[in-house]
């Protein structure tokens, strides 16, 4: 019996050893797939290991859960990611802090913001240096701010979408170029190991007017595995997994954009120069038939530029700041093609992927510059787009949002997001990934990408249109309660003047409200005292107010109104601070001009006032408004002109006799005006710029123009203008104002137009640069 027992015990031990070996083999196989970024295969391996070994070594089980959860995260299967991260943090109190962050993100992506808030709070305790924990924990206490604009946008699913990933649209010649994993013809021969879907190519649909959206028509079903899109430096943070069966093919067909740009690897997104002759696009590190990998064996993303060659594209070259060991992608050109914004995980950034900008000038690329912590976070910023006004849209999971990637807006001033970033809110943003937005200057219409559940499957392209949340502004006579027709209503938004509207016969005008905005509506009518009413969209109301009323009383006071204009071209000047000061009381009232440059004040005609206009890089202008008790005018106009740094003025009648540089009598009168200007603005510095006609040699003309500029310089100095405020330069025949170039027969009167002197304002404040008289 003992022998039999030993034999039996030996068999049991052998079976246990074989079983443990098989289990370890399953774990090793799953780890191998994980290390090779084959997350779909890794998921199957880890799920089998966990299912078949309930009593696995705790270290191995923790490893399997952690990598399984991360694989689901990379596949953007947020539901299964939530499930596994929940098991992980519940079973292992010493789980890495990142798992609490990823768990919080998965919960938010599934719309569970209260539960997500707790996990963000836990992450904040473990990683106090990462601001995301505290910011999101506070944000998810009140979600209302993400829905304040929801009634102002109409979102539709586009019929160009396929059963695979479709995303990142870009305007191109009346149509859209976008990224897609579709393979609608032939046999799919190559798939992306990450999630077993086709590689991405650029596609084109030629007519946006034909892209009539479908609202809430298609819905997907969520499964364990799904499609991919390139959202990180290694080819992608993937979309939420989905298994869509028996779903319709695109109603609107799309064609492959280019035979030469599309290769066997990933292509897209892309951005086009304004004349459509050049394209900058993303591709895996592959060009001219050669593939390169990083030191750790990964085929990173790079940026390439190509030229239009007939009906296709050619001359593909990679941009000089690419690197084999990190990724660059998601290009976005500025409206004037002088800057390229892109995304990279290069060393020295703030988080996973950051937005960078690089200068482009005459075919030469500068050095990339990180947009800084106002834009970039510890998370991922990606998919930038620059609108027609030079402002930035981008996607981020590091700024506070609804979940996944949200789309944000930043108004740029000299490359800085000086007003911070703004979450666009629902319905453009959702709990899922929302990214790749393009739009017009006013954000009136546009397109974006999302993997929200209303699509067919994976990422899809949506259109949006800004609708109006109207507010009626009613102006009444305070005594008779009758509507006042023809009253001007100044719209003041966040402290700055906007447009001026006028009431109709019913005393009413309307505006479309914007979220997160403080309004002040000022009603102005001759014979009445001005009055105003404030209105705010900073808070959400269950019963939003749809109208405001302003009551005006009869008055003997006068309305002082005017327009601030730029002297150089007489165009309205925005952003000027206009202050009216009562000389008797010292009381001041201030407005900031809007796009129309307008301002208005109510004044007592029996008092004197000082009027002052000031702005950045503008010379302060001051006027005195003198009392006039006898005036019968109820509205007084008083425009203000502003001189600014960089303005160039051609002096009338500053012409010279042929081969002469002496100041003519009529020229002296014009230069006296410059003297008067510089005495009014004692800190102003100018450059005197002199030009010749095309006759004589270039060298002769250059020297002659220098003498002419010096003559004007000497004249101003003799009139008392300090030499340190002046610089004189001659430009010869380099900037003719007409076609009288060498070899063209012109009348002397035509040549005389080129023999001129201009002055350019170098600084209105003084001290901006060193000046030397020449």
């Amino acid at each position: 019996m003992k022998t039999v027992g030993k034999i039996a015990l030996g068999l049991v031990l052998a079976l246990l050893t074989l079983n443990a070996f098989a289990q370890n083999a399953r774990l090793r196989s799953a780890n191998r797939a994980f290390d090779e970024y084959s997350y779909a295969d890794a998921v199957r391996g880890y799920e089998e290991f966990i299912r078949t070994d309930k009593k696995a070594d705790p270290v191995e089980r923790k490893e399997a859960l952690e990598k399984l959860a991360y694989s689901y995260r990379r596949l953007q299967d947020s539901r299964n990611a939530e499930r596994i991260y929940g098991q992980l943090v519940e079973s292992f109190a010493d789980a890495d802090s990142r798992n609490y962050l990823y768990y919080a993100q998965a919960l938010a992506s599934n719309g569970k913001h209260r539960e997500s808030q707790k996990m963000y709070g836990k992450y904040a305790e473990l990683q106090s240096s990462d601001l995301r924990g505290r910011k999101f924990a506070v944000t998810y206490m009140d979600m209302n701010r993400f829905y304040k604009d929801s009634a102002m946008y109409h979102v539709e699913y586009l019929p160009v979408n396929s059963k695979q990933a479709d995303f990142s649209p870009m305007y191109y010649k009346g149509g859209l170029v976008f990224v897609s994993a579709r393979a609608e013809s032939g046999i799919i021969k190559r798939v992306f190991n990450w999630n077993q879907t086709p590689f991405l190519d650029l596609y084109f649909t030629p007519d946006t007017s034909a892209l009539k959206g479908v609202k809430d028509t298609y819905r997907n079903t969520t499964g364990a595995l799904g499609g991919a899109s390139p959202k990180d430096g290694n080819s992608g943070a993937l979309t939420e997994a989905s298994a869509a069966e028996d779903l319709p093919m695109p109603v609107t067909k799309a064609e492959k954009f280019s035979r030469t740009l599309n290769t066997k690897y990933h292509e897209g997104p892309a951005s086009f120069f304004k004349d459509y002759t050049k394209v900058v696009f993303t591709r895996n590190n592959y060009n001219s038939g050669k593939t390169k990998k990083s030191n750790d064996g990964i085929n990173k993303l790079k940026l390439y530029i190509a030229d239009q060659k007939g009906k296709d594209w050619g001359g593909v070259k990679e941009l000089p700041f690419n690197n084999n060991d990190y990724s660059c992608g998601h290009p976005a050109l500025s409206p004037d093609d002088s800057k390229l914004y892109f995304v990279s995980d290069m060393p020295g950034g703030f988080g996973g992927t950051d937005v960078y900008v690089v200068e482009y000038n005459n075919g030469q690329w500068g050095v990339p510059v990180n947009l800084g912590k106002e834009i970039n976070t510890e998370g991922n910023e990606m998919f930038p787009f620059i609108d027609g006004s030079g402002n930035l849209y981008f996607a981020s999971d590091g700024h506070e949002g609804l979940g996944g990637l949200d789309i944000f807006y930043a108004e740029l001033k000299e490359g800085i997001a000086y007003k911070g970033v703004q979450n666009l809110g629902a319905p453009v943003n959702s709990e899922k990934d929302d990214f790749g937005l393009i739009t017009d200057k006013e954000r009136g219409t546009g397109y974006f990408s999302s993997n929200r559940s209303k699509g067919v499957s994976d990422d899809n392209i949506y259109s949006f249109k800004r609708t109006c949340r109207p507010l009626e502004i009613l102006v009444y006579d305070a005594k008779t309660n009758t509507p006042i027709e023809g009253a001007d209503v100044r719209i003041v938004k966040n402290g700055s003047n906007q447009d001026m509207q006028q009431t109709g016969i019913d005393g009413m005008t309307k505006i479309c409200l914007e979220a997160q905005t403080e309004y002040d509506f000022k009603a102005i009518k001759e014979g009445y005292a001005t009055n105003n009413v404030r209105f705010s969209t900073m808070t959400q109301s269950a019963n939003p107010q749809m109208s405001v009323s302003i009551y005006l009383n009869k008055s003997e006071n006068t309305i002082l109104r005017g327009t601030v204009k730029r002297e150089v071209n007489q165009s309205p000047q925005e952003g000027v601070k206009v202050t009216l000061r009562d000389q008797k009381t010292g009381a001041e009232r201030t407005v900031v001009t809007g796009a129309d440059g307008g301002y208005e004040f109510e004044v007592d005609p029996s008092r004197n006032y000082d009027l002052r206009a000031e702005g950045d890089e503008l010379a302060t202008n001051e006027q005195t408004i003198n009392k006039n008790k006898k005036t019968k005018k109820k509205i007084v106009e008083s425009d203000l002109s502003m001189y600014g740094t960089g303005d160039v003025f051609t002096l009338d009648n500053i012409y010279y006799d042929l081969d002469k540089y002496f100041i003519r009598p009529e020229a002296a009168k014009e230069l006296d005006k410059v003297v008067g200007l510089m005495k009014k603005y004692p800190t102003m510095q100018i450059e005197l710029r002199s030009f010749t006609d095309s006759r004589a040699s270039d060298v002769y003309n250059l020297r002659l123009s220098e003498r002419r500029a010096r003559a004007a310089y000497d004249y101003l100095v003799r009139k008392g203008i300090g030499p340190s405020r002046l610089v004189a330069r001659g430009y010869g025949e380099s900037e003719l104002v007409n076609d009288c170039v060498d070899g063209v027969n012109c009348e002397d009167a035509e040549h005389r137009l080129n023999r001129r002197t201009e002055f350019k304002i170098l600084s209105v404040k003084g001290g901006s640069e060193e000046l030397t008289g020449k």
Side-chain angles (χ1 to χ4, degrees), residues 11 17 44 84 141 148 175 223 260 274 319 370 380 393 419 427 523 549 582 606 659 673 715 721 738:
L11 287 172
T17 302
R44 283 186 281 267
I84 302 302
M141 295 175 66
K148 289 177 180 178
T260 56
K274 60 185 178 183
L319 300 192
N370 190 296
N380 296 295
Y393 292 85
K419 294 182 179 179
S549 299
D582 188 320
S606 65
D659 291 333
K673 295 178 182 178
Y715 183 89
I721 305 301
N738 51 32

Side-chain angles (χ1 to χ4, degrees), residues 598-617:
Y599 62 89
E600 303 84 26
F601 296 102
E602 183 178 359
V603 295
D604 184 337
S606 65
R607 294 190 178 183
N608 294 327
Y609 296 88
D610 295 322
L611 188 64
R612 183 174 69 254
E614 51 195 336
D616 293 340
E617 297 300 321

Side-chain angles (χ1 to χ4, degrees), residues 426-631:
V428 173
N429 286 322
S430 68
E431 290 85 1
K432 303 301 181 183
D433 281 337
D434 308 288
F435 59 98
L437 179 140
I438 60 175
T439 185
D440 53 29
K441 289 182 180 180
E442 292 77 27
R443 202 190 307 149
T445 61
Y447 304 88
F448 68 98
S449 319
S450 178
N451 67 343
R452 61 190 63 188
S453 60
K454 294 180 181 180
V456 174
S457 69
D458 213 303
D459 293 323
N460 290 284
I461 301 173
Y462 292 80
S463 66
F464 72 87
K465 183 177 182 180
R466 194 178 210 169
T467 57
C468 183
R469 178 186 163 192
L471 179 75
E472 296 177 349
I473 305 166
L474 302 159
V475 181
Y476 296 103
D477 185 298
K479 186 174 182 179
T480 64
N481 210 35
T482 56
I484 299 178
E485 180 183 3
D488 290 329
V489 178
R490 169 66 74 182
I491 314 298
V492 183
K493 186 171 69 174
N494 292 331
S496 295
N497 280 5
Q498 303 300 308
D499 60 331
M500 177 84 82
Q501 298 183 193
Q502 196 169 72
T503 59
I505 192 171
D506 54 358
M508 182 178 69
T509 186
K510 293 182 180 180
I511 68 163
C512 291
L513 292 172
E514 297 180 18
Q516 298 293 106
T517 303
E518 297 283 358
Y519 288 97
D520 190 2
F521 306 116
K522 183 190 296 183
I524 305 161
K525 178 68 175 179
E526 187 172 6
Y528 288 88
T530 61
N531 196 11
N532 67 296
V533 63
R534 296 179 183 274
F535 186 87
S536 175
T537 59
M538 299 293 287
T539 57
Q540 184 80 353
S541 171
N543 298 302
Q545 187 176 352
M546 304 308 293
S547 66
V548 294
S549 299
I550 307 174
Y551 293 88
L552 301 184
N553 288 293
K554 296 282 188 179
S555 173
E556 296 300 320
N557 282 351
T558 297
I559 304 298
L560 172 68
R561 66 194 306 173
T563 303
V564 179
K565 298 178 181 180
R566 196 67 171 256
E567 179 67 34
V568 67
N569 55 16
Q570 291 299 296
S571 62
Q573 182 65 45
E574 185 175 4
V576 173
K577 179 182 176 182
V578 181
T579 302
L580 183 76
R581 178 181 178 274
D582 188 320
Q583 290 185 357
K584 182 177 181 180
T585 66
E588 292 186 346
R589 286 172 281 165
T590 298
V591 298
V592 178
T593 60
D596 65 356
Y599 62 89
E600 303 84 26
F601 296 102
E602 183 178 359
V603 295
D604 184 337
S606 65
R607 294 190 178 183
N608 294 327
Y609 296 88
D610 295 322
L611 188 64
R612 183 174 69 254
E614 51 195 336
D616 293 340
E617 297 300 321
L618 295 170
T620 300
N621 193 1
E622 296 180 322
Q623 292 183 6
T624 298
I625 309 299
N626 292 314
K627 60 185 177 183
N628 187 352
K629 296 180 180 179
K630 297 181 179 180
T631 182

Side-chain angles (χ1 to χ4, degrees), residues 335-399:
D336 62 358
D337 300 333
S338 67
K339 297 180 180 66
L340 176 71
Y341 295 78
F342 67 96
V343 171
S344 179
D345 60 353
M346 68 176 67
F350 291 87
T353 55
D354 284 6
V355 181
Y356 290 79
V357 63
V358 61
E359 299 281 346
Y360 180 76
N361 185 22
N362 294 326
Q364 300 297 313
W365 296 97
V367 177
V369 177
N370 190 296
L371 284 193
K373 62 182 180 180
E374 291 82 7
I375 299 295
N376 295 311
T377 68
E378 299 92 338
N380 296 295
E381 281 68 47
M382 49 187 72
F383 296 98
F385 171 75
I386 304 297
D387 67 15
S389 297
N391 295 317
L392 172 70
Y393 292 85
F394 65 100
S396 173
D397 62 9
H399 291 285

Side-chain angles (χ1 to χ4, degrees), residues 672-703:
D672 286 340
K673 295 178 182 178
V674 179
V675 172
L677 177 67
M678 298 197 73
K679 287 184 176 179
K680 180 178 181 180
Y681 301 106
T683 61
M684 181 181 288
Q685 298 172 338
I686 68 170
E687 175 193 9
L688 294 161
R689 301 153 50 91
S690 190
F691 303 86
T692 69
D693 61 36
S694 63
R695 292 176 288 185
S697 69
D698 291 349
V699 173
Y700 176 85
N701 284 334
L702 182 61
R703 291 176 178 171

